[in-house]
Amino acid sequence: MKQKIIEEYEVNSSTMFIQPVEYGSKIYSQIYETDGEFLSPYKPFDIIKHSCEYYLADYQSRRRATKDLTNYTRKVPIAIEPSNDIFFFPTASPESSVCMWFSLSQIENHLPAPGAKTKVLFQNKQSLLFDVPFATFNNQMERTSHVKAKFLQRLERKGNKKTFYLINRPKLGKASETQREYTNHSKTPNPK
């Protein structure tokens, strides 16, 4: 499959992972979606930061929110767009030239592999081997699951259910809406 070179990219519900690749003397991003691959002239960390901004938040705010919620300070998972289940985790320090970013929702399973590697089975049934120790990968998945659970707990805390819509943004074509319920945190005064 020929990969498409793109200038701008925002992670979305189809993004599986982003890995750094050397392209000449620069670090580019190899982006894998459920049905395609792309090459971007930006580093993976730059794409993650840009994606946060695309969904109306900045990376530092998302990082701070995760830290406040969990006390994680290193290799912090990022809730890029939690209402659309877009939670990503880094495999190393985000500034590292070897750091990859994975979407929690796209991973079906992960297993240890020989040579301190991890075999990842994605939701689209694609299986790939990564040069990341299983303990590191597993820890990052658990931390990201914890962030997601804490976020959902916040939504359910008050028991005041409302309806909202998740916008599914396919690469081409029309966006579709999925109806979900969530808990409203605001206190509504009781009429007297």
Side-chain angles (χ1 to χ4, degrees):
M1 171 189 322
K2 186 175 180 183
Q3 65 183 343
K4 181 179 176 185
I5 297 177
I6 54 173
E7 283 295 317
E8 285 195 31
Y9 184 81
E10 297 83 30
V11 298
N12 57 69
S13 57
S14 295
T15 310
M16 294 165 39
F17 67 96
I18 305 169
Q19 70 179 5
V21 293
E22 286 187 29
Y23 196 80
S25 62
K26 282 187 71 181
I27 299 293
Y28 276 35
S29 290
Q30 182 80 42
I31 303 160
Y32 290 80
E33 287 192 351
T34 53
D35 60 355
E37 296 177 26
F38 305 97
L39 185 66
S40 168
Y42 296 99
K43 296 176 184 173
F45 189 36
D46 293 333
I47 291 174
I48 294 296
K49 290 189 289 189
H50 171 75
S51 296
C52 289
E53 291 170 6
Y54 178 80
Y55 292 107
L56 307 178
D58 70 320
Y59 172 82
Q60 289 302 329
S61 296
R62 293 291 193 199
R63 187 181 189 284
R64 219 174 10 259
T66 299
K67 185 181 173 201
D68 292 346
L69 198 61
T70 62
N71 291 321
Y72 299 150
T73 58
R74 298 180 62 229
K75 295 191 279 186
V76 176
I78 301 297
I80 294 175
E81 219 306 82
S83 63
N84 280 317
D85 198 22
I86 302 176
F87 293 83
F88 271 70
F89 62 88
T91 58
S93 169
E95 291 87 6
S96 169
S97 63
V98 298
C99 180
M100 292 181 268
W101 288 83
F102 286 83
S103 171
L104 180 67
S105 67
Q106 288 292 335
I107 298 170
E108 185 170 306
N109 199 2
H110 61 293
L111 303 163
K117 296 183 181 190
T118 302
K119 182 176 182 179
V120 179
L121 176 63
F122 293 95
Q123 293 292 339
N124 69 352
K125 304 304 178 204
Q126 187 175 7
S127 179
L128 296 169
L129 194 62
F130 294 95
D131 196 13
V132 178
F134 178 78
T136 300
F137 195 93
N138 191 58
N139 185 53
Q140 287 301 97
M141 278 208 49
E142 287 176 358
R143 288 164 47 119
T144 310
S145 295
H146 184 229
V147 169
K148 182 177 176 179
K150 287 287 205 179
F151 172 76
L152 293 174
Q153 283 174 352
R154 277 190 174 176
L155 292 180
E156 295 170 357
R157 194 166 289 146
K158 299 292 180 189
N160 203 0
K161 295 201 175 193
K162 300 282 182 186
T163 301
F164 73 103
Y165 293 89
L166 299 178
I167 305 297
N168 298 322
R169 301 175 196 262
K171 288 185 297 188
L172 300 171
K174 296 180 181 179
S176 62
E177 294 181 346
T178 304
Q179 185 174 342
R180 300 274 173 95
E181 289 187 353
Y182 78 101
T183 304
N184 186 358
H185 293 291
S186 63
K187 293 184 178 179
T188 307
N190 291 332
K192 295 185 180 183

